[in-house]
Every structure is written in structure tokens, then in C-alpha cells.
Amino acid sequence: MVERVVHSAADLEYAADLVTDEGQLAKAHAALHAGAPVVVDVEMVGAGITRRETVCRLRDAVAGPGLTRSAHAIRLAYEQVGPGALWVIGNAPTALEELLTLDAAPVLVIGLPVGFVGAVESKAALRESGLPAVSNVSEKGGSAVAAAALNALLYHPTSEETL
């Protein structure tokens, strides 16, 4: 996964910045190849994910008092897919923050929102949540990086493919 992320961003600093757990990645890999749904925060993340349909509800979402459009989209997606999905957040820190308030029981959260406002804090909250996760500690991230992380799981062969 680290190799794909470094390659997608052309940024070697991800080798030290990315936080992953091999056991969690193995479980997510198995769930993904067994058909677990993939939810993305923005269509750009979904466009970068190959070989798999994704759920993105941003077009249906509306902002409200104390609720960003991105956060509402996460609520809508959870209503659609329920527990056991893989969540890929590459753009909006508020989407990641909203996911952490839900009882989503994710297989994996790839939390790589980018930016100087809320991104570092939302990723730290993800790591502190105890949820199975991939994140990084800096402001870096984004759609291409988040999609690359999920694609690493998609393209890694299953045990049946290696026989």
C-alpha cells in the first residue's frame, strides 16, 4: 500500500508519514474481495478506484446548521450500505469526522483528507478511535492518494489468484 501511495503522489515522504497495520489490511483485503461495499467521500476518489463500483452520496447531500454537505453525504451513505463497508475519505475532514460519530462498524477506514483546516485533527481522531484504519500524520492526502490506497487492496492478489 505504501508503495502505491508514494507512486500516486510522487512523494517519498509518505513512506514515513503513512500509518497502517498489516493485520487490519489483511482483514480489509479479504472483505473487499468478498464483496464488501466501498464508500467514498467525493466522486473524484471514486473515479480513481478501478475494478469496483463505489457509493458516493455527495450529490444528494445538503448542508444544514452544524452539518456540512460532506458530513450529510456520509450519513446518507451509511443509511444505504450499513455496517461492514470500506470507507475512503480523501477530501473532506468533516466527512471523516462524521463517520467517527456513526456506529458504522467499518472493515477499514482509509482516512486521507488533505488540507490545513481540520485534516490533521480528523486523521488523529481516526487513529485514536480504535477503528481499523489507514491514515497519515501530516496535512497531505487527497483523492488520488486515497484511491491509490484502496487500489492497493484491490490489485493485491487473493490466495486463490496466487495458486
Side-chain angles (χ1 to χ4, degrees):
M1 179 174 288
V2 173
E3 182 179 328
R4 275 198 180 266
V5 168
V6 166
H7 184 263
S8 73
D11 187 344
L12 294 172
E13 290 182 13
Y14 275 108
D17 191 39
L18 210 60
V19 179
T20 64
D21 177 279
E22 289 296 322
Q24 292 174 353
L25 293 179
K27 289 178 184 175
H29 178 265
L32 182 64
H33 287 275
V38 176
V39 179
V40 299
D41 64 331
V42 293
E43 290 182 23
M44 190 65 182
V45 173
I49 294 172
T50 55
R51 294 189 185 176
R52 187 44 104 53
E53 294 294 319
T54 62
V55 173
C56 181
R57 296 296 303 273
L58 191 58
R59 287 182 185 222
D60 305 317
V62 294
L67 185 70
T68 66
R69 219 172 125 227
S70 295
H72 187 229
I74 293 301
R75 287 183 188 179
L76 293 173
Y78 177 65
E79 290 172 6
Q80 180 178 339
V81 303
L86 285 89
W87 295 78
V88 188
I89 311 294
N91 186 62
T94 59
L96 183 52
E97 291 165 2
E98 183 64 25
L99 179 59
L100 295 177
T101 69
L102 301 174
D103 189 22
V107 171
L108 183 70
V109 178
I110 297 174
L112 295 167
V114 63
F116 292 112
V117 179
V120 169
E121 296 82 0
S122 67
K123 291 181 272 191
L126 172 60
R127 289 190 301 279
E128 293 167 8
S129 74
L131 294 175
V134 172
S135 69
N136 66 314
V137 296
S138 73
E139 296 85 359
K140 296 178 183 187
S143 298
V145 171
L150 192 278
N151 282 337
L153 295 173
L154 277 173
Y155 282 94
H156 189 74
T158 62
S159 58
E160 292 83 34
E161 293 171 337
T162 57
L163 297 176

